[in-house]
Amino acid sequence: MGSHAAVAAELLGSAEVVNAVLDDVGSAPISDAEKALFAFVDTLNHRSSEVGREDIGRLKAAGWTDEAIYDAVSVCALFNFYNRWIDGTGVQGMSAEAYQRMGKRMAPGGYAPPEPPKEPPKE
Amino acid sequence: MYLKDVEDHESDGHYGRMIRMAREAGAPVPQIWHLFAYKPKMTEALSRFTHEVMRGPSPLSAGLRELIAAYTSRGNECRF
């Protein structure tokens, strides 16, 4: 389980659901709407040039809004950036325990670095 | 990692400080921190973008977005 699976398990409160989705989304205990969303992400990830209006139509029929689809596309696209960034520079994976610790920290804290300290007020 | 200059780069940015603190505490440094520490001006924008994509207002819960991230990485055979 990598860092984002660990964060997802923290936020969703279930490592079982996360592992089920990652192993075989078709049989995972999630809603049909969520299965449709993951099927779309799979197409986007592996055959993005094949994504067409009918894919979006299926998601809309499953109840997802334009904003939800936009956000799902953004997450998939961003993590393609991270996957290439990591593989191309040879960033090494960490131990399962380290990912668990990282997941616990990132679940509440998120990703933004702290704001830089403000200029002290002028006299 | 493959890029020694990137790994050894000393940075005063947020991630450079995190790397120094981890080293002083004898804790393992997640190597992705080196990628963030190398060009802070570039990666501070990336951190804020990532935070907004993953934690900003959305009809998708933060947990579902993390699961989409993990699913994407698994599809790309990236263990991260």
Side-chain angles (χ1 to χ4, degrees), chain A residues 2-5 7 22 38 42 45-46 64 67-68 71-72 75-76 79-84 86 89-92 94 106-107 111-114, chain B residues 1-3 14 30-31 35-36 46-47 49-51 53-55 58-60 63 65-67 69-76 78-80:
Chain A
S3 57
H4 296 279
V7 183
L22 296 181
F38 280 100
D42 201 50
N45 204 24
H46 297 292
W64 297 107
E67 186 184 359
D71 289 352
V75 173
C76 179
F79 277 78
N80 268 278
F81 168 83
Y82 277 118
N83 295 159
R84 288 4 165 181
I86 283 168
T89 56
V91 162
Q92 296 289 305
M94 300 194 299
M106 278 162 32
Y111 301 88
Chain B
M1 60 187 291
Y2 308 140
L3 308 177
H14 171 64
Q31 289 193 340
L35 300 186
F36 277 97
L46 175 63
S47 287
F49 176 67
T50 302
H51 187 79
V53 169
M54 300 303 287
R55 292 291 191 280
S58 170
L60 307 180
R65 280 178 271 172
E66 293 286 351
L67 192 48
Y71 185 80
T72 300
S73 297
R74 173 68 65 95
N76 288 331
C78 182
R79 290 189 41 78
F80 174 74

Short mmCIF file of all heavy atoms in Angstrom, two decimals, chain A residues 2-5 7 22 38 42 45-46 64 67-68 71-72 75-76 79-84 86 89-92 94 106-107 111-114, chain B residues 1-3 14 30-31 35-36 46-47 49-51 53-55 58-60 63 65-67 69-76 78-80:
data_model
loop_
_atom_site.label_atom_id
_atom_site.label_comp_id
_atom_site.label_asym_id
_atom_site.label_seq_id
_atom_site.Cartn_x
_atom_site.Cartn_y
_atom_site.Cartn_z
N GLY A 2 0.79 2.06 -1.07
CA GLY A 2 1.60 3.28 -1.16
C GLY A 2 1.01 4.40 -0.34
O GLY A 2 0.02 4.22 0.38
N SER A 3 1.61 5.59 -0.43
CA SER A 3 1.21 6.67 0.47
C SER A 3 -0.24 7.10 0.25
O SER A 3 -0.96 7.38 1.20
CB SER A 3 2.16 7.85 0.34
OG SER A 3 2.21 8.31 -0.98
N HIS A 4 -0.68 7.15 -1.02
CA HIS A 4 -2.04 7.65 -1.25
C HIS A 4 -3.11 6.63 -0.92
O HIS A 4 -4.20 6.99 -0.48
CB HIS A 4 -2.16 8.22 -2.66
CG HIS A 4 -1.25 9.39 -2.79
ND1 HIS A 4 -1.58 10.63 -2.33
CD2 HIS A 4 0.04 9.46 -3.18
CE1 HIS A 4 -0.53 11.43 -2.48
NE2 HIS A 4 0.46 10.74 -2.98
N ALA A 5 -2.77 5.35 -1.08
CA ALA A 5 -3.68 4.32 -0.60
C ALA A 5 -3.81 4.42 0.91
O ALA A 5 -4.91 4.29 1.47
CB ALA A 5 -3.17 2.94 -1.00
N VAL A 7 -3.41 7.17 2.75
CA VAL A 7 -4.22 8.35 3.06
C VAL A 7 -5.69 8.05 2.81
O VAL A 7 -6.55 8.41 3.62
CB VAL A 7 -3.79 9.58 2.21
CG1 VAL A 7 -4.61 10.80 2.61
CG2 VAL A 7 -2.32 9.88 2.37
N LEU A 22 -8.30 -1.36 -5.41
CA LEU A 22 -7.03 -1.45 -6.12
C LEU A 22 -6.83 -2.84 -6.72
O LEU A 22 -6.21 -2.98 -7.77
CB LEU A 22 -5.87 -1.11 -5.18
CG LEU A 22 -5.87 0.34 -4.66
CD1 LEU A 22 -4.67 0.58 -3.75
CD2 LEU A 22 -5.86 1.36 -5.80
N PHE A 38 -14.48 4.95 -11.60
CA PHE A 38 -13.17 4.28 -11.69
C PHE A 38 -12.95 3.67 -13.08
O PHE A 38 -11.82 3.67 -13.59
CB PHE A 38 -13.02 3.22 -10.59
CG PHE A 38 -12.65 3.82 -9.27
CD1 PHE A 38 -13.61 4.04 -8.29
CD2 PHE A 38 -11.34 4.23 -9.00
CE1 PHE A 38 -13.28 4.64 -7.08
CE2 PHE A 38 -11.00 4.82 -7.80
CZ PHE A 38 -11.98 5.03 -6.84
N ASP A 42 -9.82 4.59 -15.46
CA ASP A 42 -8.99 3.56 -16.10
C ASP A 42 -8.80 3.87 -17.59
O ASP A 42 -7.69 3.79 -18.12
CB ASP A 42 -9.67 2.20 -15.91
CG ASP A 42 -8.69 1.06 -16.07
OD1 ASP A 42 -7.62 1.12 -15.44
OD2 ASP A 42 -8.99 0.14 -16.86
N ASN A 45 -6.60 6.91 -17.97
CA ASN A 45 -5.21 6.65 -17.62
C ASN A 45 -4.47 5.89 -18.71
O ASN A 45 -3.30 6.16 -18.99
CB ASN A 45 -5.17 5.86 -16.30
CG ASN A 45 -3.86 6.05 -15.57
OD1 ASN A 45 -3.17 7.04 -15.75
ND2 ASN A 45 -3.51 5.08 -14.74
N HIS A 46 -5.15 4.92 -19.33
CA HIS A 46 -4.44 4.02 -20.26
C HIS A 46 -4.73 4.30 -21.73
O HIS A 46 -3.93 3.94 -22.59
CB HIS A 46 -4.81 2.57 -19.95
CG HIS A 46 -4.37 2.14 -18.59
ND1 HIS A 46 -3.04 2.00 -18.25
CD2 HIS A 46 -5.07 1.86 -17.47
CE1 HIS A 46 -2.95 1.64 -16.99
NE2 HIS A 46 -4.17 1.56 -16.49
N TRP A 64 -22.95 11.86 -11.82
CA TRP A 64 -21.81 12.75 -11.57
C TRP A 64 -22.00 14.07 -12.33
O TRP A 64 -22.42 14.08 -13.48
CB TRP A 64 -20.50 12.08 -12.02
CG TRP A 64 -20.19 10.84 -11.26
CD1 TRP A 64 -20.29 9.55 -11.72
CD2 TRP A 64 -19.77 10.73 -9.90
NE1 TRP A 64 -19.93 8.66 -10.74
CE2 TRP A 64 -19.61 9.35 -9.62
CE3 TRP A 64 -19.50 11.66 -8.89
CZ2 TRP A 64 -19.21 8.89 -8.35
CZ3 TRP A 64 -19.09 11.20 -7.64
CH2 TRP A 64 -18.96 9.83 -7.38
N GLU A 67 -18.57 19.22 -12.51
CA GLU A 67 -17.51 19.55 -11.55
C GLU A 67 -16.85 18.28 -11.01
O GLU A 67 -15.61 18.21 -10.89
CB GLU A 67 -18.07 20.38 -10.39
CG GLU A 67 -16.96 20.87 -9.44
CD GLU A 67 -17.49 21.62 -8.22
OE1 GLU A 67 -18.72 21.79 -8.10
OE2 GLU A 67 -16.66 22.01 -7.38
N ALA A 68 -17.66 17.25 -10.72
CA ALA A 68 -17.10 16.00 -10.21
C ALA A 68 -16.18 15.36 -11.26
O ALA A 68 -15.09 14.86 -10.93
CB ALA A 68 -18.22 15.04 -9.83
N ASP A 71 -12.97 17.31 -11.59
CA ASP A 71 -12.07 17.05 -10.46
C ASP A 71 -11.42 15.67 -10.58
O ASP A 71 -10.23 15.51 -10.28
CB ASP A 71 -12.84 17.17 -9.13
CG ASP A 71 -13.20 18.63 -8.82
OD1 ASP A 71 -12.73 19.53 -9.55
OD2 ASP A 71 -13.96 18.87 -7.87
N ALA A 72 -12.18 14.67 -11.04
CA ALA A 72 -11.60 13.32 -11.20
C ALA A 72 -10.52 13.33 -12.28
O ALA A 72 -9.45 12.72 -12.11
CB ALA A 72 -12.70 12.31 -11.55
N VAL A 75 -7.35 14.92 -10.81
CA VAL A 75 -6.59 14.03 -9.92
C VAL A 75 -5.80 13.02 -10.75
O VAL A 75 -4.60 12.82 -10.53
CB VAL A 75 -7.52 13.29 -8.93
CG1 VAL A 75 -6.72 12.25 -8.14
CG2 VAL A 75 -8.19 14.28 -7.98
N CYS A 76 -6.45 12.40 -11.73
CA CYS A 76 -5.77 11.39 -12.57
C CYS A 76 -4.60 12.03 -13.33
O CYS A 76 -3.50 11.47 -13.38
CB CYS A 76 -6.77 10.76 -13.53
SG CYS A 76 -6.04 9.53 -14.63
N PHE A 79 -1.66 12.89 -10.95
CA PHE A 79 -0.88 11.74 -10.49
C PHE A 79 -0.11 11.09 -11.62
O PHE A 79 0.91 10.44 -11.36
CB PHE A 79 -1.73 10.79 -9.64
CG PHE A 79 -1.75 11.33 -8.24
CD1 PHE A 79 -2.59 12.39 -7.91
CD2 PHE A 79 -0.85 10.89 -7.29
CE1 PHE A 79 -2.54 12.99 -6.65
CE2 PHE A 79 -0.81 11.47 -6.03
CZ PHE A 79 -1.65 12.52 -5.71
N ASN A 80 -0.52 11.29 -12.85
CA ASN A 80 0.36 10.89 -13.95
C ASN A 80 1.63 11.73 -13.92
O ASN A 80 2.73 11.22 -14.12
CB ASN A 80 -0.35 11.01 -15.30
CG ASN A 80 -1.00 9.70 -15.67
OD1 ASN A 80 -0.34 8.82 -16.20
ND2 ASN A 80 -2.28 9.54 -15.36
N PHE A 81 1.50 13.03 -13.64
CA PHE A 81 2.69 13.87 -13.46
C PHE A 81 3.58 13.30 -12.35
O PHE A 81 4.78 13.09 -12.54
CB PHE A 81 2.27 15.32 -13.14
CG PHE A 81 3.41 16.18 -12.68
CD1 PHE A 81 4.26 16.78 -13.59
CD2 PHE A 81 3.64 16.35 -11.32
CE1 PHE A 81 5.33 17.56 -13.15
CE2 PHE A 81 4.71 17.13 -10.88
CZ PHE A 81 5.56 17.73 -11.79
N TYR A 82 2.99 13.03 -11.20
CA TYR A 82 3.80 12.54 -10.08
C TYR A 82 4.44 11.18 -10.39
O TYR A 82 5.59 10.94 -10.04
CB TYR A 82 2.96 12.45 -8.79
CG TYR A 82 2.86 13.77 -8.07
CD1 TYR A 82 1.64 14.39 -7.88
CD2 TYR A 82 4.00 14.41 -7.59
CE1 TYR A 82 1.54 15.61 -7.23
CE2 TYR A 82 3.91 15.63 -6.94
CZ TYR A 82 2.68 16.23 -6.76
OH TYR A 82 2.60 17.44 -6.12
N ASN A 83 3.70 10.29 -11.04
CA ASN A 83 4.25 8.97 -11.37
C ASN A 83 5.47 9.12 -12.26
O ASN A 83 6.49 8.45 -12.04
CB ASN A 83 3.20 8.10 -12.06
CG ASN A 83 2.01 7.75 -11.18
OD1 ASN A 83 0.95 7.40 -11.70
ND2 ASN A 83 2.13 7.84 -9.87
N ARG A 84 5.39 10.00 -13.28
CA ARG A 84 6.53 10.19 -14.19
C ARG A 84 7.67 10.90 -13.49
O ARG A 84 8.86 10.64 -13.74
CB ARG A 84 6.11 11.03 -15.41
CG ARG A 84 5.22 10.42 -16.48
CD ARG A 84 4.71 9.09 -16.25
NE ARG A 84 3.61 8.74 -17.15
CZ ARG A 84 2.97 7.60 -17.14
NH1 ARG A 84 3.29 6.68 -16.25
NH2 ARG A 84 2.00 7.36 -17.97
N ILE A 86 8.51 10.73 -10.38
CA ILE A 86 9.16 9.80 -9.47
C ILE A 86 9.94 8.73 -10.23
O ILE A 86 11.11 8.47 -9.92
CB ILE A 86 8.08 9.17 -8.57
CG1 ILE A 86 7.68 10.18 -7.50
CG2 ILE A 86 8.54 7.86 -7.96
CD1 ILE A 86 6.45 9.80 -6.75
N THR A 89 13.16 10.16 -12.11
CA THR A 89 14.29 10.60 -11.30
C THR A 89 14.81 9.48 -10.40
O THR A 89 15.82 9.65 -9.72
CB THR A 89 13.88 11.79 -10.39
OG1 THR A 89 12.76 11.38 -9.59
CG2 THR A 89 13.51 13.01 -11.22
N GLY A 90 14.10 8.36 -10.39
CA GLY A 90 14.55 7.23 -9.59
C GLY A 90 14.28 7.35 -8.11
O GLY A 90 15.01 6.80 -7.29
N VAL A 91 13.23 8.09 -7.77
CA VAL A 91 12.85 8.17 -6.35
C VAL A 91 12.48 6.77 -5.85
O VAL A 91 11.69 6.06 -6.48
CB VAL A 91 11.66 9.14 -6.16
CG1 VAL A 91 10.96 8.92 -4.83
CG2 VAL A 91 12.16 10.58 -6.26
N GLN A 92 13.13 6.38 -4.74
CA GLN A 92 12.91 5.04 -4.18
C GLN A 92 11.64 5.01 -3.33
O GLN A 92 11.34 6.00 -2.67
CB GLN A 92 14.09 4.65 -3.29
CG GLN A 92 15.39 4.52 -4.03
CD GLN A 92 15.42 3.28 -4.92
OE1 GLN A 92 15.19 2.18 -4.44
NE2 GLN A 92 15.66 3.49 -6.20
N MET A 94 9.29 3.63 -0.14
CA MET A 94 9.59 3.54 1.28
C MET A 94 8.96 2.26 1.84
O MET A 94 8.22 1.57 1.15
CB MET A 94 9.06 4.77 2.01
CG MET A 94 9.68 6.06 1.50
SD MET A 94 9.38 7.45 2.61
CE MET A 94 7.63 7.54 2.61
N MET A 106 -0.64 13.03 6.19
CA MET A 106 -1.22 13.73 5.04
C MET A 106 -2.75 13.72 5.07
O MET A 106 -3.37 14.57 4.44
CB MET A 106 -0.71 13.10 3.74
CG MET A 106 0.67 13.64 3.37
SD MET A 106 1.60 12.65 2.18
CE MET A 106 0.35 11.96 1.15
N ALA A 107 -3.34 12.79 5.79
CA ALA A 107 -4.81 12.73 5.81
C ALA A 107 -5.40 14.04 6.35
O ALA A 107 -6.23 14.65 5.68
CB ALA A 107 -5.29 11.52 6.60
N TYR A 111 -1.35 18.97 1.56
CA TYR A 111 -0.13 19.07 0.78
C TYR A 111 0.53 20.43 0.77
O TYR A 111 1.67 20.55 0.35
CB TYR A 111 -0.43 18.68 -0.67
CG TYR A 111 -0.97 17.30 -0.79
CD1 TYR A 111 -2.32 17.05 -0.69
CD2 TYR A 111 -0.10 16.23 -0.97
CE1 TYR A 111 -2.82 15.76 -0.77
CE2 TYR A 111 -0.58 14.94 -1.06
CZ TYR A 111 -1.96 14.72 -0.96
OH TYR A 111 -2.44 13.45 -1.04
N ALA A 112 -0.19 21.48 1.15
CA ALA A 112 0.38 22.81 1.00
C ALA A 112 1.44 23.05 2.06
O ALA A 112 1.22 22.73 3.23
CB ALA A 112 -0.72 23.86 1.10
N PRO A 113 2.59 23.60 1.67
CA PRO A 113 3.57 23.98 2.71
C PRO A 113 3.01 25.15 3.51
O PRO A 113 2.12 25.85 3.04
CB PRO A 113 4.80 24.41 1.90
CG PRO A 113 4.28 24.80 0.57
CD PRO A 113 3.03 23.98 0.33
N PRO A 114 3.50 25.35 4.73
CA PRO A 114 2.99 26.47 5.52
C PRO A 114 3.27 27.79 4.82
O PRO A 114 4.23 27.91 4.07
CB PRO A 114 3.76 26.37 6.84
CG PRO A 114 4.92 25.48 6.57
CD PRO A 114 4.57 24.61 5.41
N MET B 1 18.02 7.81 -5.48
CA MET B 1 17.53 8.30 -6.76
C MET B 1 18.69 8.48 -7.73
O MET B 1 19.84 8.37 -7.35
CB MET B 1 16.73 9.60 -6.57
CG MET B 1 17.46 10.75 -5.95
SD MET B 1 16.36 12.15 -5.59
CE MET B 1 15.95 12.69 -7.24
N TYR B 2 18.36 8.74 -9.01
CA TYR B 2 19.40 8.77 -10.04
C TYR B 2 20.15 10.09 -10.10
O TYR B 2 21.25 10.15 -10.63
CB TYR B 2 18.78 8.53 -11.43
CG TYR B 2 17.91 7.32 -11.55
CD1 TYR B 2 16.73 7.36 -12.30
CD2 TYR B 2 18.26 6.10 -10.95
CE1 TYR B 2 15.92 6.25 -12.43
CE2 TYR B 2 17.46 4.99 -11.07
CZ TYR B 2 16.28 5.07 -11.80
OH TYR B 2 15.48 3.99 -11.94
N LEU B 3 19.55 11.18 -9.62
CA LEU B 3 20.11 12.51 -9.84
C LEU B 3 20.77 13.01 -8.56
O LEU B 3 20.11 13.54 -7.66
CB LEU B 3 18.99 13.47 -10.28
CG LEU B 3 18.14 12.98 -11.46
CD1 LEU B 3 17.02 13.97 -11.77
CD2 LEU B 3 19.00 12.74 -12.69
N HIS B 14 10.88 25.25 2.28
CA HIS B 14 10.15 24.41 3.23
C HIS B 14 10.68 22.96 3.22
O HIS B 14 10.96 22.40 4.28
CB HIS B 14 8.66 24.44 2.85
CG HIS B 14 7.81 23.48 3.60
ND1 HIS B 14 7.63 23.55 4.96
CD2 HIS B 14 7.09 22.41 3.17
CE1 HIS B 14 6.83 22.56 5.35
NE2 HIS B 14 6.48 21.87 4.28
N PRO B 30 11.88 10.94 3.02
CA PRO B 30 11.19 10.49 1.81
C PRO B 30 11.85 11.17 0.60
O PRO B 30 12.00 12.39 0.58
CB PRO B 30 9.76 11.00 2.00
CG PRO B 30 9.62 11.26 3.47
CD PRO B 30 11.00 11.66 3.94
N GLN B 31 12.26 10.38 -0.40
CA GLN B 31 13.08 10.96 -1.48
C GLN B 31 12.31 11.97 -2.32
O GLN B 31 12.92 12.83 -2.94
CB GLN B 31 13.64 9.84 -2.36
CG GLN B 31 14.72 9.05 -1.63
CD GLN B 31 15.49 8.15 -2.57
OE1 GLN B 31 15.04 7.81 -3.64
NE2 GLN B 31 16.68 7.77 -2.14
N LEU B 35 12.87 16.19 -4.63
CA LEU B 35 12.32 16.77 -5.86
C LEU B 35 11.66 18.10 -5.55
O LEU B 35 11.74 19.05 -6.34
CB LEU B 35 11.31 15.82 -6.52
CG LEU B 35 11.81 14.44 -6.94
CD1 LEU B 35 10.71 13.71 -7.71
CD2 LEU B 35 13.06 14.55 -7.79
N PHE B 36 10.99 18.18 -4.41
CA PHE B 36 10.35 19.44 -4.02
C PHE B 36 11.38 20.48 -3.58
O PHE B 36 11.19 21.67 -3.79
CB PHE B 36 9.34 19.20 -2.90
CG PHE B 36 7.99 18.73 -3.39
CD1 PHE B 36 7.67 17.39 -3.41
CD2 PHE B 36 7.06 19.65 -3.86
CE1 PHE B 36 6.43 16.96 -3.88
CE2 PHE B 36 5.82 19.23 -4.32
CZ PHE B 36 5.51 17.88 -4.34
N LEU B 46 3.43 23.96 -7.18
CA LEU B 46 2.94 22.58 -7.32
C LEU B 46 2.27 22.10 -6.03
O LEU B 46 1.23 21.42 -6.08
CB LEU B 46 4.12 21.67 -7.70
CG LEU B 46 3.80 20.18 -7.77
CD1 LEU B 46 2.78 19.89 -8.87
CD2 LEU B 46 5.08 19.38 -8.01
N SER B 47 2.87 22.43 -4.89
CA SER B 47 2.27 22.02 -3.61
C SER B 47 0.89 22.63 -3.44
O SER B 47 -0.05 21.95 -3.02
CB SER B 47 3.14 22.48 -2.43
OG SER B 47 4.30 21.71 -2.34
N PHE B 49 -1.09 23.75 -5.80
CA PHE B 49 -1.97 23.15 -6.81
C PHE B 49 -2.44 21.77 -6.33
O PHE B 49 -3.63 21.44 -6.37
CB PHE B 49 -1.20 23.04 -8.14
CG PHE B 49 -1.94 22.34 -9.24
CD1 PHE B 49 -3.08 22.92 -9.79
CD2 PHE B 49 -1.52 21.13 -9.74
CE1 PHE B 49 -3.77 22.29 -10.82
CE2 PHE B 49 -2.19 20.50 -10.77
CZ PHE B 49 -3.33 21.08 -11.30
N THR B 50 -1.49 20.97 -5.84
CA THR B 50 -1.83 19.62 -5.38
C THR B 50 -2.81 19.69 -4.21
O THR B 50 -3.79 18.93 -4.17
CB THR B 50 -0.55 18.87 -4.94
OG1 THR B 50 0.35 18.83 -6.05
CG2 THR B 50 -0.88 17.46 -4.48
N HIS B 51 -2.56 20.63 -3.29
CA HIS B 51 -3.46 20.74 -2.14
C HIS B 51 -4.88 21.09 -2.62
O HIS B 51 -5.87 20.53 -2.12
CB HIS B 51 -2.95 21.79 -1.16
CG HIS B 51 -3.73 21.83 0.11
ND1 HIS B 51 -3.53 20.92 1.12
CD2 HIS B 51 -4.74 22.64 0.51
CE1 HIS B 51 -4.38 21.18 2.10
NE2 HIS B 51 -5.13 22.21 1.75
N VAL B 53 -6.25 20.54 -5.62
CA VAL B 53 -6.85 19.40 -6.35
C VAL B 53 -7.33 18.34 -5.36
O VAL B 53 -8.42 17.78 -5.51
CB VAL B 53 -5.82 18.79 -7.34
CG1 VAL B 53 -6.33 17.46 -7.91
CG2 VAL B 53 -5.54 19.76 -8.48
N MET B 54 -6.52 18.08 -4.32
CA MET B 54 -6.79 16.94 -3.43
C MET B 54 -7.66 17.29 -2.23
O MET B 54 -8.32 16.43 -1.65
CB MET B 54 -5.47 16.33 -2.95
CG MET B 54 -4.58 15.82 -4.06
SD MET B 54 -5.38 14.60 -5.12
CE MET B 54 -5.40 13.18 -4.02
N ARG B 55 -7.61 18.59 -1.80
CA ARG B 55 -8.32 18.96 -0.57
C ARG B 55 -9.25 20.16 -0.74
O ARG B 55 -9.95 20.52 0.19
CB ARG B 55 -7.30 19.30 0.53
CG ARG B 55 -6.49 18.12 1.03
CD ARG B 55 -7.34 17.13 1.81
NE ARG B 55 -6.52 16.16 2.48
CZ ARG B 55 -6.00 15.10 1.88
NH1 ARG B 55 -6.24 14.90 0.60
NH2 ARG B 55 -5.26 14.25 2.55
N SER B 58 -14.92 20.34 -3.48
CA SER B 58 -15.19 19.41 -4.58
C SER B 58 -16.39 18.55 -4.22
O SER B 58 -16.58 18.23 -3.05
CB SER B 58 -13.98 18.51 -4.81
OG SER B 58 -14.29 17.46 -5.72
N PRO B 59 -17.18 18.13 -5.23
CA PRO B 59 -18.22 17.13 -4.94
C PRO B 59 -17.62 15.77 -4.60
O PRO B 59 -18.33 14.91 -4.05
CB PRO B 59 -19.02 17.05 -6.24
CG PRO B 59 -18.32 17.89 -7.25
CD PRO B 59 -17.17 18.58 -6.62
N LEU B 60 -16.34 15.56 -4.91
CA LEU B 60 -15.67 14.29 -4.57
C LEU B 60 -15.01 14.44 -3.21
O LEU B 60 -14.24 15.39 -2.99
CB LEU B 60 -14.61 13.94 -5.62
CG LEU B 60 -15.05 13.92 -7.09
CD1 LEU B 60 -13.88 13.56 -8.00
CD2 LEU B 60 -16.21 12.96 -7.30
N GLY B 63 -11.28 11.56 0.54
CA GLY B 63 -10.95 10.13 0.55
C GLY B 63 -11.09 9.52 -0.83
O GLY B 63 -10.25 8.73 -1.28
N ARG B 65 -10.89 11.16 -3.67
CA ARG B 65 -9.82 11.70 -4.52
C ARG B 65 -8.49 10.98 -4.26
O ARG B 65 -7.74 10.69 -5.19
CB ARG B 65 -9.67 13.22 -4.28
CG ARG B 65 -10.71 14.03 -5.04
CD ARG B 65 -10.59 15.50 -4.74
NE ARG B 65 -11.40 15.89 -3.59
CZ ARG B 65 -11.36 17.09 -3.02
NH1 ARG B 65 -10.53 18.01 -3.47
NH2 ARG B 65 -12.14 17.36 -2.00
N GLU B 66 -8.20 10.67 -2.99
CA GLU B 66 -6.98 9.92 -2.68
C GLU B 66 -7.03 8.52 -3.30
O GLU B 66 -6.02 8.00 -3.77
CB GLU B 66 -6.78 9.81 -1.17
CG GLU B 66 -6.47 11.13 -0.48
CD GLU B 66 -5.04 11.62 -0.73
OE1 GLU B 66 -4.22 10.87 -1.29
OE2 GLU B 66 -4.77 12.78 -0.37
N LEU B 67 -8.24 7.95 -3.30
CA LEU B 67 -8.38 6.60 -3.88
C LEU B 67 -8.19 6.66 -5.40
O LEU B 67 -7.58 5.76 -5.99
CB LEU B 67 -9.76 6.03 -3.50
CG LEU B 67 -10.00 4.55 -3.76
CD1 LEU B 67 -8.87 3.66 -3.26
CD2 LEU B 67 -11.33 4.11 -3.14
N ALA B 69 -6.25 8.79 -6.86
CA ALA B 69 -4.80 8.97 -6.99
C ALA B 69 -4.08 7.63 -6.86
O ALA B 69 -3.20 7.30 -7.67
CB ALA B 69 -4.29 9.94 -5.91
N ALA B 70 -4.46 6.85 -5.86
CA ALA B 70 -3.83 5.55 -5.65
C ALA B 70 -4.13 4.61 -6.81
O ALA B 70 -3.26 3.85 -7.27
CB ALA B 70 -4.31 4.94 -4.33
N TYR B 71 -5.36 4.67 -7.32
CA TYR B 71 -5.77 3.82 -8.44
C TYR B 71 -5.00 4.18 -9.71
O TYR B 71 -4.56 3.30 -10.46
CB TYR B 71 -7.28 4.00 -8.65
CG TYR B 71 -7.90 3.12 -9.69
CD1 TYR B 71 -8.22 1.79 -9.39
CD2 TYR B 71 -8.20 3.61 -10.95
CE1 TYR B 71 -8.80 0.98 -10.35
CE2 TYR B 71 -8.80 2.80 -11.91
CZ TYR B 71 -9.10 1.49 -11.60
OH TYR B 71 -9.68 0.68 -12.55
N THR B 72 -4.80 5.48 -9.93
CA THR B 72 -4.02 5.94 -11.09
C THR B 72 -2.58 5.45 -10.98
O THR B 72 -2.01 4.92 -11.94
CB THR B 72 -4.06 7.49 -11.15
OG1 THR B 72 -5.42 7.91 -11.29
CG2 THR B 72 -3.24 8.02 -12.32
N SER B 73 -1.98 5.61 -9.78
CA SER B 73 -0.59 5.18 -9.58
C SER B 73 -0.46 3.67 -9.76
O SER B 73 0.50 3.20 -10.36
CB SER B 73 -0.12 5.57 -8.18
OG SER B 73 -0.13 6.98 -8.02
N ARG B 74 -1.43 2.92 -9.26
CA ARG B 74 -1.41 1.47 -9.43
C ARG B 74 -1.49 1.12 -10.92
O ARG B 74 -0.76 0.25 -11.41
CB ARG B 74 -2.58 0.83 -8.66
CG ARG B 74 -2.77 -0.67 -8.89
CD ARG B 74 -1.66 -1.51 -8.31
NE ARG B 74 -1.61 -1.44 -6.86
CZ ARG B 74 -2.18 -2.29 -6.03
NH1 ARG B 74 -2.86 -3.32 -6.50
NH2 ARG B 74 -2.06 -2.14 -4.73
N GLY B 75 -2.35 1.82 -11.65
CA GLY B 75 -2.47 1.58 -13.09
C GLY B 75 -1.17 1.85 -13.84
O GLY B 75 -0.89 1.21 -14.85
N ASN B 76 -0.38 2.79 -13.32
CA ASN B 76 0.91 3.13 -13.93
C ASN B 76 2.05 2.31 -13.34
O ASN B 76 3.22 2.60 -13.61
CB ASN B 76 1.20 4.62 -13.76
CG ASN B 76 0.31 5.48 -14.63
OD1 ASN B 76 -0.11 5.04 -15.69
ND2 ASN B 76 0.01 6.69 -14.19
N CYS B 78 3.26 2.43 -10.52
CA CYS B 78 4.11 3.28 -9.68
C CYS B 78 3.71 2.99 -8.24
O CYS B 78 2.55 3.20 -7.87
CB CYS B 78 3.91 4.75 -10.03
SG CYS B 78 4.95 5.88 -9.08
N ARG B 79 4.64 2.51 -7.44
CA ARG B 79 4.29 2.05 -6.10
C ARG B 79 4.02 3.19 -5.12
O ARG B 79 3.45 2.99 -4.06
CB ARG B 79 5.38 1.13 -5.54
CG ARG B 79 5.43 -0.20 -6.24
CD ARG B 79 6.36 -1.19 -5.55
NE ARG B 79 6.27 -1.15 -4.11
CZ ARG B 79 5.32 -1.71 -3.39
NH1 ARG B 79 4.34 -2.36 -3.98
NH2 ARG B 79 5.33 -1.64 -2.07
N PHE B 80 4.44 4.38 -5.52
CA PHE B 80 4.21 5.55 -4.69
C PHE B 80 2.72 5.73 -4.40
O PHE B 80 2.31 6.05 -3.33
CB PHE B 80 4.78 6.77 -5.41
CG PHE B 80 4.50 8.09 -4.77
CD1 PHE B 80 5.16 8.48 -3.62
CD2 PHE B 80 3.57 8.96 -5.32
CE1 PHE B 80 4.92 9.70 -3.05
CE2 PHE B 80 3.34 10.19 -4.75
CZ PHE B 80 4.01 10.55 -3.61
#
